[in-house]
Amino acid sequence: MPLNIPNALTWARIVLIPIFVGMFYLPEALMGAQTKNLVATLIFVVAAVTDWFDGYLARALGQTSAFGAFLDPVADKLMVAAALILLVQLSRVDALIAVVIIGREITISALREWMARVGQSASVAVAYVGKLKTAAQMVAIPMLLFNAPIYGVDMRMFGNILIYVAAALTLWSMGYYLHRAMPLLQGKLGQ
């Protein structure tokens, strides 16, 4: 495992996850609800920014690695899954939405792993609809974590709208990737 700046940023995102989750278990006397919401939002935003930044640095510094390519999406999925589970527990996201988004991530990760093993990873490379899905959920989740108005704008309402958009894009992107893999899947199932 090469230790370089991009991989260090990815590891930092993973280390932030238990801090992010644990904050909501602190007693109210130690940290009030709105402070927890604010700190959780900041942690999530920092994780999202470092996700973009570590990819940029890996390419700019020529520090890409197979391990980094594996670990980066794992860190992203863990942070998003942790946030969605917390939001369900806090009654800010419907469990069905969390199941759709997390289930898609597991399904497509498994599909990509299998396609890579059979030498067809290009068939399920990241598509534009997948990028839109990611953008929608990365904006929605901080809004739902913050859970308070900003300058009179109801963040929770807009976060809810965006998380439903993200769920719809999640299903669309999953359909897209499965459709792309279907010829190979049908060939393997027929054997």
Side-chain angles (χ1 to χ4, degrees):
M1 173 194 71
L3 189 55
N4 54 35
I5 295 169
N7 285 349
L9 288 172
T10 302
W11 279 114
R13 283 201 321 276
I14 292 171
V15 168
L16 282 175
I17 295 168
I19 296 167
F20 171 77
V21 172
M23 238 185 13
F24 284 99
Y25 290 92
L26 293 174
E28 285 290 318
L30 207 60
M31 186 181 285
Q34 193 54 43
T35 304
K36 290 177 188 180
N37 290 341
L38 175 61
V39 173
T41 302
L42 293 174
I43 289 173
F44 190 87
V45 168
V46 165
V49 169
T50 60
D51 175 34
W52 174 84
F53 198 56
D54 69 14
Y56 170 79
L57 284 176
R59 290 182 296 278
L61 300 174
Q63 294 181 343
T64 58
S65 67
F67 183 75
F70 157 76
L71 190 63
D72 182 64
V74 169
D76 302 342
K77 288 164 184 37
L78 287 172
M79 182 57 95
V80 167
L84 288 170
I85 291 167
L86 277 173
L87 289 168
V88 167
Q89 183 177 350
L90 295 167
S91 300
R92 297 181 197 168
V93 167
D94 190 274
L96 180 61
I97 297 296
V99 168
V100 164
I101 293 172
I102 294 169
R104 179 263 187 209
E105 296 302 337
I106 293 168
T107 302
I108 299 307
S109 292
L111 178 66
R112 283 193 174 124
E113 175 67 23
W114 179 72
M115 295 293 279
R117 284 182 183 222
V118 296
Q120 296 293 319
S121 58
S123 298
V124 287
V126 176
Y128 186 70
V129 67
K131 291 179 181 186
L132 285 176
K133 179 268 311 175
T134 299
Q137 74 186 19
M138 292 310 217
V139 173
I141 290 171
M143 289 177 160
L144 292 165
L145 287 168
F146 189 69
N147 196 43
I150 297 178
Y151 299 113
V153 177
D154 187 349
M155 291 293 111
R156 186 167 177 176
M157 181 191 71
F158 282 109
N160 270 307
I161 292 167
L162 272 176
I163 205 71
Y164 278 93
V165 168
L169 291 169
T170 293
L171 293 172
W172 182 6
S173 67
M174 185 169 74
Y176 172 82
Y177 293 125
L178 289 172
H179 177 74
R180 295 284 311 241
M182 195 55 67
L184 191 59
L185 287 169
Q186 287 173 336
K188 294 294 180 182
L189 293 175
Q191 294 178 351

